[in-house]
Amino acid sequence: MTLPDSEGGWTWESWTEWDAMMTDPEIGAYGTLAPNDFASQYMPQMYSNGVAKPFNDRLTRTMFDLPEAGEAWEYMTGKIFEHKASPPAGLIRELSGEYSDPFTAGKIGIWPSDRASSTGFATPQIKNRFAWTLLPEVIAARGGPPGHTWREHANLATIQAEREGVIEGSTSLAVYLAGEEFQCRVGIDRGHMSVQRAELGSPASVAPPPEGMKWLKVYADRPTNRGLFPFRTWRDWYEKHRELARMAWTGQQTPAKSLEACQAWGFEHFSTYEGPRPFVAEPVYP
């Protein structure tokens, strides 16, 4: 198959077609790895299908009852149960073998994950066993712009630094880690995604392996990135949400029933939430 090398080069439909071409359970080969992964699996597809963000602006509910969310949810779970193009959860460890995951083991064709921002973890394991590449983001059914999120912000000058009298040193470290010298090394070693756009596009940062490293800068330059967890009690919310979502990803409930339970949990969680709420000048979801 010919892989896309331009934005808009592939869609959900072509992804499904490629899955069929790459899947052969008899030899343990699957088109896609689609586990129960909020940040890297179904939320990016929900974004690209038209969901602005997973929570409303007032933090009173989740947005999983939108049709755009349900379509993405059904599409990703359908890879496991409808098309049999993604291994079920119980088979993932077996397919991984001696490697950290089945993609690195060479058993998976496409893995939508945060590995795109940390290719340095996979490169020493894959070595020259097979060629691999990053891809432009897929275009979802509703044809919306690709969506992505930021997940972590370093907090290096903490209250502990103040207590121990090392604020100046902590600040200097933070500035150094964000600076050109260190971020150039990040672009080479790729343990995480560089925080400097200039370094993301530098020759050292885009050099293979893998191919397609140029797409990292394209992702970073999009103005539509979202914060995944804009509230204080997100760990409590997420732990139960993940368990409810797992019911769909393991086939214990239909995708629709599982997503309905996730939405109900959002109402329940936020009904007792008393933490700060973000100020939004132009609300998307009141």
Side-chain angles (χ1 to χ4, degrees):
M1 74 183 74
T2 301
L3 296 178
D5 192 39
S6 63
E7 292 191 81
W10 61 310
T11 64
W12 277 1
E13 289 76 14
S14 50
W15 189 355
T16 300
E17 293 173 2
W18 297 347
D19 277 345
M21 295 170 63
M22 294 185 287
T23 298
D24 185 353
E26 292 295 321
I27 61 172
Y30 291 86
T32 294
L33 180 61
N36 174 21
D37 188 331
F38 173 78
S40 302
Q41 283 282 340
Y42 52 85
M43 274 314 308
Q45 301 310 318
M46 288 183 180
Y47 294 149
S48 298
N49 202 40
V51 177
K53 48 190 174 180
F55 313 99
N56 70 339
D57 298 282
R58 294 182 295 126
L59 289 182
T60 60
R61 56 174 294 189
T62 51
M63 306 309 300
F64 299 129
D65 57 347
L66 294 176
E68 296 93 323
E71 290 165 3
W73 187 263
E74 295 271 356
Y75 179 76
M76 294 307 295
T77 56
K79 290 184 177 296
I80 304 171
F81 301 106
E82 180 183 354
H83 300 290
K84 313 293 185 184
S86 176
L91 191 58
I92 290 177
R93 180 173 295 181
E94 177 183 333
L95 291 175
S96 300
E98 63 184 286
Y99 300 98
S100 57
D101 58 78
F103 178 83
T104 304
K107 301 294 186 178
I108 300 292
I110 297 174
W111 185 20
S113 78
D114 59 1
R115 179 53 54 83
S117 63
S118 58
T119 58
F121 290 116
T123 302
Q125 295 187 72
I126 293 175
K127 297 181 180 178
N128 62 353
R129 291 185 294 115
F130 56 86
W132 59 300
T133 184
L134 303 188
L135 292 176
E137 292 169 294
V138 64
I139 301 300
R142 292 179 183 259
H148 66 284
T149 64
W150 51 264
R151 297 184 63 176
E152 298 173 354
H153 279 183
N155 186 10
L156 301 173
T158 64
I159 190 66
Q160 188 67 25
E162 183 177 1
R163 289 171 180 163
E164 296 183 7
V166 292
I167 283 288
E168 183 176 348
S170 295
T171 303
S172 296
L173 174 61
V175 171
Y176 171 73
L177 293 179
E180 182 178 349
E181 180 180 1
F182 188 85
Q183 291 303 313
C184 177
R185 194 68 243 178
V186 168
I188 295 170
D189 295 331
R190 303 169 189 175
H192 60 84
M193 189 169 171
S194 174
V195 300
Q196 286 196 357
R197 282 180 169 81
E199 288 302 329
L200 276 174
S202 71
S205 293
V206 300
E211 301 292 337
M213 287 296 295
K214 65 180 182 180
W215 292 111
L216 272 188
K217 188 171 187 302
V218 175
Y219 305 157
D221 284 344
R222 297 194 194 285
T224 54
N225 62 314
R226 296 89 163 171
L228 278 175
F229 306 114
F231 55 98
R232 180 181 294 166
T233 57
W234 71 268
R235 288 185 184 277
D236 296 329
W237 169 81
Y238 180 67
E239 285 180 8
K240 185 167 181 178
H241 167 82
R242 180 175 171 79
E243 285 305 304
L244 294 171
R246 187 174 61 85
M247 302 297 282
W249 255 257
T250 56
Q252 296 177 72
Q253 279 187 336
T254 66
K257 283 292 184 183
S258 175
L259 194 57
E260 182 180 325
C262 291
Q263 177 69 5
W265 164 236
F267 277 117
E268 180 183 342
H269 178 81
F270 287 120
S271 68
T272 59
Y273 177 69
E274 297 179 348
R277 300 170 191 267
F279 172 77
V280 181
E282 298 180 4
V284 176
Y285 300 128

